[in-house]
Amino acid sequence: MTENETIATNPVGSSSKRALLEDIRMRSAGLSPAEQRVSRQVLSHPEDVLELSVTELAARSDTSVGTVMRFCTRLGLRGYQDLKLNLARTVISVTDSLAAEVHADDTDDVVLAKVLASSATAISHASDLIDSTALTAIVDSLVTARRVAFAAVGTSAPLAADISYRLTTIGVDATFTPDPHVQHVTARMLGPGDVCFAISHTGSTQETLAVMRTAAQTGATTAALTSFTSSPLTDIVDHRLVAGSRETSYRIESMTSRLVHLAVLDAIHVALVLRRDGCREALAASGDIITEHRI
């Protein structure tokens, strides 16, 4: 299972590419007035919906996140990401869903060049779009943090594991476990002076949201790195850092967004080395230990 939820193999009872939009049209009359507003937004602007978080779609249709989720349920879908994925199958070709500008007859080396170029462009654009004030606020909280607990599942989990380890190498008391239940318990043990840091592409993963709500209740500082400006996650954390890519539209693995997130986390790591007392000494000591494990 990925962070963005598993994929329905036969959405809304049909394998037809047009099944989803046709099903929405047929069901619209039986929906509540609020659900009909969501329906009209999806039918009128399907490509736009692919770029929106669940919170953003709710705002555009003048409804609530709960209404959007009920709308998805009425369609027989398992959630908003399921809606977006099946919608993408209707409006985006399989080739386009793999990578920008890749064509079916491209050779392997051409595919490699295009994918690398797309990734480089996404990272370059991220530097222009990231809120520097939010970045500084997160670094400030980490500079003085007593403990740092990371929350992430699915495709975001490897990023959380990586940054947790790297913070440990510079003397920060950082932890991450891939088990969401343990993440939740860990969050409950936090308090003022601690930081709970979520990494989530969609900002809508239930397990991560539960962890962050609990951390907020304990008085810990909460921060998040995500791909959407507005999402259930950004609504509940103290500090939010948004860094996404074009593929947030339809790619469930969101590979390029993960590369962008990894680069942002690397920048946070470097900033801490420069600003937090004892980090450089701890990094040197960690380097000595790592050397013992290499030939």
Side-chain angles (χ1 to χ4, degrees):
M1 179 184 295
T2 68
E3 177 207 343
N4 307 60
E5 301 178 348
T6 54
I7 305 170
T9 57
N10 207 15
V12 295
S14 173
S15 60
S16 169
K17 272 199 167 186
R18 290 180 295 188
L20 179 60
L21 293 179
E22 291 301 326
D23 194 66
I24 293 173
R25 290 188 183 96
M26 288 190 301
R27 293 173 184 254
S28 290
L31 300 177
S32 70
E35 291 167 348
Q36 287 181 7
R37 292 198 294 274
V38 178
S39 173
R40 287 194 293 271
Q41 189 68 36
V42 174
L43 291 173
S44 301
H45 309 285
E47 291 89 352
D48 291 349
V49 172
L50 295 177
E51 302 284 351
L52 303 177
S53 69
V54 61
T55 304
E56 291 167 337
L57 177 58
R60 287 205 181 186
S61 56
D62 192 26
T63 60
S64 65
V65 170
T67 298
V68 175
M69 298 308 295
R70 285 193 297 274
F71 169 77
C72 295
T73 300
R74 294 286 288 274
L75 295 176
L77 301 171
R78 288 170 290 180
Y80 184 61
Q81 296 307 313
D82 204 7
L83 170 67
K84 289 178 67 174
L85 189 65
N86 285 291
L87 190 59
R89 287 172 173 162
T90 301
V91 300
I92 298 175
S93 72
V94 173
T95 301
D96 285 344
S97 71
L98 293 174
E101 305 304 324
V102 170
H103 303 295
D105 58 351
D106 284 343
T107 60
D108 294 342
D109 58 327
V110 171
V111 170
L112 174 63
K114 289 183 176 181
V115 170
L116 291 178
S118 177
S119 298
T121 298
I123 292 173
S124 177
H125 287 173
S127 65
D128 298 326
L129 300 175
I130 290 175
D131 184 349
S132 60
T133 301
L135 175 63
T136 297
I138 289 176
V139 174
D140 285 344
S141 68
L142 294 174
V143 165
T144 59
R146 180 181 58 178
R147 292 180 296 171
V148 182
F150 286 92
V153 299
T155 55
S156 291
L159 276 65
D162 178 75
I163 187 60
S164 176
Y165 165 70
R166 288 198 286 160
L167 292 192
T168 299
T169 66
I170 60 175
V172 178
D173 185 358
T175 60
F176 172 72
T177 171
D179 188 322
H181 292 175
V182 179
Q183 291 179 34
H184 204 167
V185 171
T186 300
R188 182 60 183 84
M189 300 301 130
L190 299 176
D194 298 328
V195 174
C196 195
F197 194 137
I199 304 170
S200 174
H201 168 57
T202 64
S204 302
T205 308
Q206 294 183 21
E207 293 85 353
T208 302
L209 292 172
V211 171
M212 300 311 291
R213 291 190 185 102
T214 296
Q217 291 169 2
T218 68
T221 298
T222 55
L225 173 60
T226 184
S227 299
F228 292 92
T229 302
S230 180
S231 70
L233 180 61
T234 58
D235 288 341
I236 63 176
V237 297
D238 298 315
H239 309 297
R240 58 204 57 81
L241 202 53
V242 179
S245 72
R246 176 179 174 269
E247 68 169 357
T248 58
S249 307
Y250 47 82
R251 289 183 63 185
I252 196 163
E253 292 293 345
S254 48
M255 180 62 74
T256 303
S257 290
R258 268 196 288 167
L259 293 176
V260 172
H261 287 184
L262 187 62
V264 172
L265 293 169
D266 192 29
I268 290 173
H269 170 259
V270 172
L272 282 175
V273 172
L274 297 177
R275 293 180 52 190
R276 180 165 169 141
D277 291 340
C279 281
R280 298 186 189 190
E281 293 79 6
L283 186 60
S286 297
D288 291 339
I289 293 296
I290 295 301
T291 301
E292 296 179 10
H293 295 270
R294 293 175 177 161
I295 298 175

